[in-house]
Amino acid sequence: MIHVEPQPEPPDFDSKVRQPGQSDLASPDGELRPHWQHCALQLWHAYRGVCAYSSLYIPRGTGARSVDHLLPKSKHRDLTYEWSNYRLACLRMNARKNALERVLDPFEVQDGWFALELSTLQVIPAEGLPEDLHQRVEETIELLDLNDDEFIQARAAYYELFQSREVQFSYIQRHFPFLARELIRQGIVREST
């Protein structure tokens, strides 16, 4: 995971999502209708198609993008229709995170908390973190199962593209910014590249 900079709410978010959602919350049945789906594409554009949790690009047309509610709808109904509570997530990450509240918020994560072991392509806590932060990073890695075979294979595919020079570094920066950041941090690529 890398730091994700919060993006501004789209101009039509209030009319498309918040207002209908607030009406639903105030209705007698209080049903949570998925008005957030009206902004899923805007969320994808705002965050350049990169999953906040896996740091991998989510291709259009795959149906794999989703709106994650950082603070779960089941426990924080008042935030169900708030842009500030949304994180772009691939379906796998959204399903794993589900209603967990112990996962670190990508908006609060600082670059350098998570590292990538290039020999195994496993996500690990960075060296030198205070013990409590180290534990939280480790817990987030475990809760989201960031080192399952599917994610390791995805990382391997991007790393192989980079190593074979089939793509330029800018492609890695766009499609897997965590790998790009780690290649710079580990001295494999110079920052100006």
Side-chain angles (χ1 to χ4, degrees), residues 95-159:
R96 286 183 183 170
K97 186 184 153 295
N98 198 3
L100 296 173
E101 294 186 67
R102 296 186 328 263
V103 170
L104 287 168
D105 179 1
F107 288 2
E108 295 175 5
V109 165
Q110 296 301 305
D111 289 342
W113 287 6
F114 292 78
L116 189 62
E117 174 54 57
L118 291 178
S119 63
T120 62
L121 296 171
Q122 297 232 353
V123 178
I124 58 174
E127 291 183 19
L129 295 175
E131 183 58 32
D132 61 329
L133 181 56
H134 183 278
Q135 288 176 350
R136 292 196 64 211
V137 168
E138 201 166 66
E139 181 180 37
T140 295
I141 292 168
E142 290 173 19
L143 289 170
L144 295 177
D145 198 8
L146 291 175
N147 291 320
D148 77 357
D149 287 341
E150 287 292 317
F151 283 113
I152 288 177
Q153 292 304 315
R155 290 180 205 128
Y158 282 111
Y159 194 37

Coordinates of all heavy atoms in Angstrom, one line a residue, residues 95-159:
A95 N -14.2 -7.2 -1.1 CA -14.8 -8.4 -0.4 C -14.0 -8.8 0.8 O -14.5 -9.1 1.9 CB -14.9 -9.5 -1.4
R96 N -12.7 -8.7 0.7 CA -11.8 -9.1 1.9 C -11.9 -8.1 3.0 O -12.0 -8.4 4.2 CB -10.4 -9.2 1.5 CG -10.1 -10.5 0.6 CD -8.7 -10.6 0.3 NE -8.5 -11.8 -0.6 CZ -7.4 -12.0 -1.2 NH1 -6.3 -11.2 -1.1 NH2 -7.3 -13.1 -1.9
K97 N -11.9 -6.8 2.7 CA -12.0 -5.8 3.7 C -13.4 -5.8 4.3 O -13.5 -5.7 5.6 CB -11.7 -4.4 3.1 CG -11.7 -3.4 4.2 CD -11.5 -2.0 3.7 CE -12.1 -1.0 4.6 NZ -13.5 -1.0 4.8
N98 N -14.4 -6.0 3.5 CA -15.8 -6.1 4.0 C -16.1 -5.1 5.1 O -15.9 -3.9 4.9 CB -16.1 -7.5 4.5 CG -17.5 -7.8 4.6 OD1 -18.4 -7.0 4.3 ND2 -17.8 -9.0 5.0
A99 N -16.4 -5.5 6.3 CA -16.8 -4.5 7.4 C -15.6 -4.4 8.4 O -15.8 -3.8 9.5 CB -18.0 -5.0 8.1
L100 N -14.4 -4.8 8.0 CA -13.3 -4.7 8.9 C -12.9 -3.2 9.1 O -12.9 -2.4 8.1 CB -12.0 -5.4 8.3 CG -12.1 -6.9 8.2 CD1 -10.9 -7.4 7.5 CD2 -12.3 -7.5 9.6
E101 N -12.7 -2.8 10.3 CA -12.3 -1.4 10.6 C -10.8 -1.3 11.0 O -10.3 -0.2 11.2 CB -13.2 -0.8 11.6 CG -14.6 -0.7 11.2 CD -15.5 0.0 12.2 OE1 -15.3 1.2 12.4 OE2 -16.4 -0.6 12.8
R102 N -10.1 -2.4 11.1 CA -8.8 -2.4 11.6 C -7.8 -2.3 10.4 O -6.6 -2.1 10.7 CB -8.5 -3.7 12.4 CG -9.3 -3.8 13.6 CD -8.9 -5.0 14.5 NE -8.4 -6.2 13.9 CZ -9.2 -7.2 13.6 NH1 -10.4 -7.2 13.9 NH2 -8.6 -8.3 13.0
V103 N -8.2 -2.3 9.2 CA -7.4 -2.1 8.0 C -7.0 -0.6 8.0 O -7.8 0.2 8.1 CB -8.1 -2.5 6.8 CG1 -7.3 -2.1 5.5 CG2 -8.4 -4.0 6.8
L104 N -5.7 -0.4 7.7 CA -5.2 1.0 7.6 C -5.9 1.7 6.5 O -6.1 1.1 5.4 CB -3.7 1.0 7.4 CG -2.9 0.6 8.7 CD1 -1.4 0.4 8.3 CD2 -3.0 1.7 9.7
D105 N -6.2 2.9 6.7 CA -6.8 3.8 5.7 C -5.7 4.2 4.7 O -4.8 4.9 5.1 CB -7.5 5.0 6.3 CG -8.1 5.9 5.3 OD1 -8.1 5.7 4.1 OD2 -8.7 6.9 5.8
P106 N -5.9 3.9 3.4 CA -4.9 4.4 2.4 C -4.7 5.9 2.4 O -3.7 6.3 2.0 CB -5.5 3.9 1.0 CG -6.4 2.7 1.4 CD -7.0 3.1 2.8
F107 N -5.7 6.7 2.8 CA -5.5 8.1 2.9 C -4.5 8.5 4.0 O -3.9 9.5 4.0 CB -6.9 8.8 3.2 CG -7.8 8.8 2.0 CD1 -7.5 8.2 0.8 CD2 -9.0 9.5 2.1 CE1 -8.4 8.3 -0.3 CE2 -9.9 9.5 1.0 CZ -9.6 8.9 -0.2
E108 N -4.4 7.6 5.0 CA -3.6 7.9 6.2 C -2.2 7.2 6.1 O -1.3 7.6 6.8 CB -4.3 7.5 7.5 CG -5.5 8.4 7.7 CD -6.3 8.0 8.9 OE1 -5.9 7.1 9.7 OE2 -7.4 8.6 9.2
V109 N -2.2 6.1 5.3 CA -0.9 5.4 5.1 C 0.1 6.4 4.5 O -0.2 7.2 3.7 CB -1.1 4.2 4.1 CG1 0.2 3.7 3.6 CG2 -1.9 3.1 4.8
Q110 N 1.3 6.3 5.1 CA 2.4 7.1 4.5 C 3.3 6.2 3.7 O 3.5 5.1 4.0 CB 3.2 7.7 5.7 CG 2.4 8.7 6.5 CD 1.8 9.9 5.7 OE1 2.6 10.6 5.0 NE2 0.5 10.0 5.7
D111 N 3.9 6.8 2.6 CA 4.8 6.1 1.8 C 6.0 5.7 2.7 O 6.5 6.5 3.5 CB 5.3 6.9 0.6 CG 4.2 7.1 -0.4 OD1 3.3 6.3 -0.4 OD2 4.4 8.1 -1.2
G112 N 6.4 4.4 2.6 CA 7.5 3.9 3.4 C 7.0 3.1 4.6 O 7.8 2.5 5.3
W113 N 5.7 2.9 4.8 CA 5.2 2.0 5.8 C 5.2 0.6 5.3 O 5.4 -0.3 6.1 CB 3.8 2.4 6.2 CG 3.7 3.6 7.1 CD1 4.6 4.5 7.4 CD2 2.5 4.2 7.7 NE1 4.2 5.6 8.1 CE2 2.8 5.4 8.3 CE3 1.1 3.7 7.7 CZ2 1.9 6.1 9.0 CZ3 0.2 4.5 8.4 CH2 0.6 5.7 9.0
F114 N 4.9 0.4 4.1 CA 4.8 -0.9 3.4 C 6.0 -1.0 2.5 O 6.4 0.0 1.9 CB 3.6 -1.1 2.6 CG 2.3 -1.2 3.5 CD1 1.7 -0.1 4.0 CD2 1.7 -2.5 3.8 CE1 0.6 -0.2 4.8 CE2 0.6 -2.5 4.5 CZ 0.0 -1.4 5.0
A115 N 6.6 -2.2 2.4 CA 7.7 -2.4 1.5 C 7.4 -3.7 0.6 O 6.5 -4.4 1.0 CB 9.0 -2.6 2.3
L116 N 8.2 -3.8 -0.4 CA 8.0 -5.0 -1.3 C 9.4 -5.7 -1.4 O 10.4 -5.1 -1.7 CB 7.6 -4.5 -2.7 CG 7.2 -5.6 -3.7 CD1 6.0 -6.3 -3.2 CD2 6.9 -4.9 -5.0
E117 N 9.3 -7.0 -1.0 CA 10.5 -7.8 -1.1 C 10.6 -8.3 -2.5 O 9.8 -9.1 -2.9 CB 10.4 -9.0 -0.1 CG 11.4 -10.0 -0.2 CD 12.8 -9.5 -0.1 OE1 13.1 -8.8 0.9 OE2 13.6 -9.7 -1.0
L118 N 11.5 -7.7 -3.3 CA 11.6 -8.0 -4.7 C 11.9 -9.5 -5.1 O 11.5 -9.9 -6.1 CB 12.5 -7.1 -5.4 CG 12.1 -5.6 -5.4 CD1 13.1 -4.7 -6.1 CD2 10.7 -5.5 -6.2
S119 N 12.6 -10.2 -4.2 CA 12.9 -11.6 -4.5 C 11.7 -12.5 -4.4 O 11.6 -13.5 -5.2 CB 14.0 -12.1 -3.6 OG 13.6 -12.1 -2.3
T120 N 10.7 -12.1 -3.6 CA 9.5 -13.0 -3.4 C 8.3 -12.2 -3.9 O 7.2 -12.8 -4.0 CB 9.3 -13.4 -2.0 OG1 9.2 -12.2 -1.2 CG2 10.5 -14.2 -1.5
L121 N 8.4 -10.9 -4.1 CA 7.3 -10.0 -4.4 C 6.2 -10.0 -3.3 O 5.0 -9.8 -3.6 CB 6.7 -10.3 -5.8 CG 7.7 -10.1 -6.9 CD1 7.2 -10.6 -8.2 CD2 8.0 -8.6 -7.0
Q122 N 6.6 -10.2 -2.1 CA 5.7 -10.2 -0.9 C 5.7 -8.8 -0.4 O 6.8 -8.1 -0.3 CB 6.2 -11.2 0.1 CG 6.1 -12.6 -0.3 CD 5.4 -13.5 0.6 OE1 5.0 -13.1 1.7 NE2 5.2 -14.7 0.2
V123 N 4.5 -8.3 0.1 CA 4.4 -7.1 0.8 C 4.8 -7.3 2.2 O 4.3 -8.3 2.8 CB 3.0 -6.5 0.7 CG1 2.8 -5.2 1.5 CG2 2.6 -6.3 -0.8
I124 N 5.6 -6.5 2.8 CA 6.1 -6.6 4.2 C 6.1 -5.3 4.8 O 6.1 -4.2 4.2 CB 7.5 -7.2 4.2 CG1 8.5 -6.3 3.4 CG2 7.6 -8.6 3.7 CD1 10.0 -6.7 3.5
P125 N 6.1 -5.2 6.2 CA 6.2 -4.0 6.9 C 7.6 -3.4 6.6 O 8.6 -4.2 6.5 CB 6.1 -4.3 8.3 CG 5.4 -5.6 8.4 CD 5.8 -6.3 7.1
A126 N 7.7 -2.1 6.4 CA 9.0 -1.5 6.2 C 9.9 -1.6 7.5 O 9.4 -1.7 8.6 CB 8.8 0.0 5.8
E127 N 11.2 -1.6 7.3 CA 12.1 -1.6 8.4 C 12.0 -0.3 9.2 O 11.8 0.8 8.6 CB 13.5 -1.8 7.9 CG 13.7 -3.2 7.4 CD 15.2 -3.5 7.0 OE1 16.1 -2.7 7.4 OE2 15.4 -4.4 6.2
G128 N 12.3 -0.4 10.5 CA 12.4 0.8 11.3 C 11.1 1.5 11.8 O 11.1 2.5 12.3
L129 N 10.0 0.8 11.5 CA 8.7 1.3 12.0 C 8.6 1.2 13.5 O 9.1 0.2 14.0 CB 7.5 0.6 11.3 CG 7.3 0.8 9.8 CD1 6.2 -0.1 9.4 CD2 7.1 2.2 9.5
P130 N 7.9 2.1 14.2 CA 7.7 1.9 15.6 C 6.8 0.6 15.8 O 6.1 0.2 14.9 CB 6.9 3.1 16.0 CG 7.1 4.1 15.0 CD 7.4 3.4 13.7
E131 N 7.0 -0.1 16.9 CA 6.4 -1.4 17.1 C 4.9 -1.4 16.8 O 4.3 -2.3 16.2 CB 6.7 -2.0 18.5 CG 6.2 -3.4 18.7 CD 6.7 -4.4 17.7 OE1 7.8 -4.3 17.2 OE2 5.9 -5.4 17.4
D132 N 4.2 -0.4 17.4 CA 2.7 -0.4 17.2 C 2.3 -0.2 15.7 O 1.4 -0.9 15.3 CB 2.1 0.7 18.1 CG 2.5 2.1 17.7 OD1 3.7 2.3 17.3 OD2 1.8 3.0 17.9
L133 N 3.1 0.6 15.0 CA 2.8 0.8 13.6 C 3.1 -0.5 12.8 O 2.4 -0.9 11.9 CB 3.5 2.0 13.0 CG 3.3 2.4 11.6 CD1 1.8 2.5 11.3 CD2 4.0 3.6 11.2
H134 N 4.3 -1.1 13.1 CA 4.7 -2.3 12.5 C 3.6 -3.4 12.6 O 3.2 -4.0 11.7 CB 6.0 -2.8 13.1 CG 6.5 -4.1 12.5 ND1 6.1 -5.3 12.8 CD2 7.5 -4.2 11.5 CE1 6.7 -6.2 12.1 NE2 7.6 -5.6 11.3
Q135 N 3.0 -3.5 13.8 CA 1.9 -4.4 14.0 C 0.7 -4.1 13.2 O 0.0 -5.0 12.6 CB 1.5 -4.5 15.5 CG 2.6 -5.2 16.3 CD 2.3 -5.2 17.8 OE1 1.3 -4.5 18.3 NE2 3.0 -5.9 18.6
R136 N 0.3 -2.8 13.1 CA -0.8 -2.4 12.3 C -0.6 -2.7 10.8 O -1.5 -3.1 10.1 CB -1.2 -0.9 12.5 CG -1.7 -0.7 13.9 CD -2.4 0.6 14.1 NE -3.6 0.7 13.3 CZ -4.0 1.8 12.8 NH1 -3.4 3.0 13.0 NH2 -5.1 1.8 12.0
V137 N 0.6 -2.4 10.3 CA 0.9 -2.7 8.9 C 0.8 -4.2 8.7 O 0.2 -4.7 7.7 CB 2.3 -2.2 8.5 CG1 2.8 -2.7 7.2 CG2 2.3 -0.6 8.5
E138 N 1.4 -5.0 9.6 CA 1.4 -6.5 9.5 C 0.0 -7.0 9.5 O -0.4 -7.9 8.7 CB 2.2 -7.1 10.6 CG 2.7 -8.5 10.3 CD 3.7 -8.9 11.3 OE1 3.4 -9.0 12.5 OE2 4.9 -9.1 10.9
E139 N -0.9 -6.4 10.4 CA -2.3 -6.8 10.5 C -3.0 -6.5 9.2 O -3.8 -7.3 8.7 CB -2.9 -6.2 11.7 CG -4.4 -6.6 11.8 CD -5.0 -5.9 13.0 OE1 -4.7 -4.7 13.3 OE2 -5.8 -6.6 13.7
T140 N -2.8 -5.4 8.6 CA -3.4 -5.0 7.3 C -3.0 -5.9 6.2 O -3.9 -6.4 5.4 CB -3.1 -3.5 7.0 OG1 -3.6 -2.7 8.0 CG2 -3.6 -3.2 5.6
I141 N -1.7 -6.3 6.2 CA -1.3 -7.3 5.2 C -2.0 -8.6 5.3 O -2.5 -9.2 4.3 CB 0.3 -7.5 5.3 CG1 1.0 -6.2 4.8 CG2 0.7 -8.6 4.4 CD1 2.5 -6.1 5.2
E142 N -2.1 -9.0 6.6 CA -2.8 -10.3 6.8 C -4.3 -10.2 6.6 O -4.9 -11.1 5.9 CB -2.5 -10.8 8.3 CG -1.1 -11.2 8.5 CD -0.8 -11.5 9.9 OE1 -1.7 -11.7 10.7 OE2 0.4 -11.5 10.3
L143 N -5.0 -9.2 7.0 CA -6.4 -9.1 6.9 C -6.8 -9.0 5.4 O -7.8 -9.6 5.0 CB -7.0 -7.9 7.6 CG -6.9 -7.9 9.1 CD1 -7.3 -6.6 9.7 CD2 -7.9 -9.0 9.6
L144 N -6.0 -8.3 4.6 CA -6.3 -8.2 3.2 C -5.7 -9.3 2.4 O -5.9 -9.4 1.2 CB -5.9 -6.8 2.7 CG -6.6 -5.6 3.2 CD1 -6.0 -4.3 2.7 CD2 -8.1 -5.7 3.0
D145 N -4.9 -10.2 3.0 CA -4.2 -11.3 2.3 C -3.5 -10.7 1.1 O -3.6 -11.3 0.0 CB -5.2 -12.4 1.9 CG -4.5 -13.7 1.7 OD1 -3.3 -13.8 1.9 OD2 -5.2 -14.6 1.2
L146 N -2.7 -9.7 1.3 CA -2.0 -9.0 0.2 C -1.0 -9.9 -0.4 O -0.5 -9.6 -1.5 CB -1.3 -7.8 0.7 CG -2.3 -6.6 1.1 CD1 -1.5 -5.4 1.6 CD2 -3.1 -6.2 -0.1
N147 N -0.6 -11.0 0.2 CA 0.4 -11.9 -0.3 C -0.2 -13.3 -0.8 O 0.6 -14.3 -0.9 CB 1.5 -12.2 0.7 CG 2.3 -10.9 0.9 OD1 2.6 -10.2 0.0 ND2 2.7 -10.6 2.2
D148 N -1.4 -13.2 -1.3 CA -2.0 -14.5 -1.8 C -1.3 -14.7 -3.2 O -0.7 -13.8 -3.8 CB -3.5 -14.5 -1.9 CG -4.1 -13.6 -3.0 OD1 -3.4 -12.9 -3.7 OD2 -5.3 -13.6 -3.1
D149 N -1.5 -15.9 -3.8 CA -0.9 -16.2 -5.1 C -1.3 -15.3 -6.2 O -0.5 -14.9 -7.1 CB -1.2 -17.7 -5.5 CG -0.4 -18.7 -4.6 OD1 0.6 -18.3 -4.0 OD2 -0.8 -19.8 -4.6
E150 N -2.6 -14.9 -6.2 CA -3.1 -14.0 -7.3 C -2.4 -12.7 -7.3 O -2.0 -12.2 -8.4 CB -4.6 -13.8 -7.1 CG -5.5 -15.0 -7.5 CD -5.4 -15.3 -9.0 OE1 -5.5 -14.4 -9.8 OE2 -5.3 -16.5 -9.3
F151 N -2.2 -12.1 -6.1 CA -1.6 -10.8 -6.1 C -0.1 -10.9 -6.3 O 0.5 -10.1 -7.0 CB -1.8 -10.1 -4.8 CG -3.2 -9.5 -4.7 CD1 -4.2 -9.9 -3.9 CD2 -3.6 -8.4 -5.6 CE1 -5.4 -9.4 -3.9 CE2 -4.8 -7.9 -5.6 CZ -5.8 -8.4 -4.7
I152 N 0.5 -12.0 -5.9 CA 2.0 -12.2 -6.2 C 2.2 -12.4 -7.7 O 3.1 -11.8 -8.3 CB 2.5 -13.4 -5.3 CG1 2.7 -12.9 -3.9 CG2 3.9 -13.8 -5.9 CD1 3.1 -14.0 -2.9
Q153 N 1.3 -13.1 -8.3 CA 1.4 -13.3 -9.8 C 1.2 -12.0 -10.5 O 1.8 -11.8 -11.5 CB 0.4 -14.4 -10.2 CG 0.7 -15.8 -9.8 CD 2.1 -16.2 -10.1 OE1 2.6 -16.0 -11.3 NE2 2.9 -16.8 -9.2
A154 N 0.2 -11.2 -10.0 CA 0.0 -9.9 -10.7 C 1.3 -9.0 -10.5 O 1.7 -8.4 -11.5 CB -1.2 -9.2 -10.0
R155 N 1.9 -9.0 -9.3 CA 3.1 -8.2 -9.2 C 4.2 -8.8 -10.0 O 5.0 -8.0 -10.6 CB 3.5 -8.3 -7.7 CG 2.6 -7.6 -6.8 CD 3.1 -7.7 -5.3 NE 2.0 -7.5 -4.4 CZ 1.6 -8.3 -3.5 NH1 2.3 -9.4 -3.2 NH2 0.5 -8.1 -2.8
A156 N 4.3 -10.1 -10.1 CA 5.3 -10.7 -11.0 C 5.2 -10.3 -12.4 O 6.2 -10.0 -13.1 CB 5.3 -12.2 -10.8
A157 N 4.0 -10.3 -12.9 CA 3.7 -9.9 -14.3 C 4.2 -8.5 -14.6 O 4.9 -8.2 -15.6 CB 2.2 -10.0 -14.6
Y158 N 3.9 -7.5 -13.7 CA 4.4 -6.2 -13.9 C 5.9 -6.1 -13.7 O 6.6 -5.4 -14.5 CB 3.8 -5.2 -12.9 CG 2.4 -4.8 -13.2 CD1 1.3 -5.3 -12.5 CD2 2.1 -4.0 -14.3 CE1 0.0 -4.9 -12.8 CE2 0.8 -3.6 -14.7 CZ -0.2 -4.1 -13.9 OH -1.5 -3.7 -14.3
Y159 N 6.5 -6.8 -12.8 CA 7.9 -6.8 -12.6 C 8.7 -7.4 -13.8 O 9.7 -6.9 -14.2 CB 8.3 -7.5 -11.3 CG 9.7 -7.3 -10.8 CD1 10.3 -6.0 -10.9 CD2 10.4 -8.3 -10.2 CE1 11.6 -5.8 -10.4 CE2 11.7 -8.1 -9.7 CZ 12.3 -6.9 -9.8 OH 13.6 -6.7 -9.4

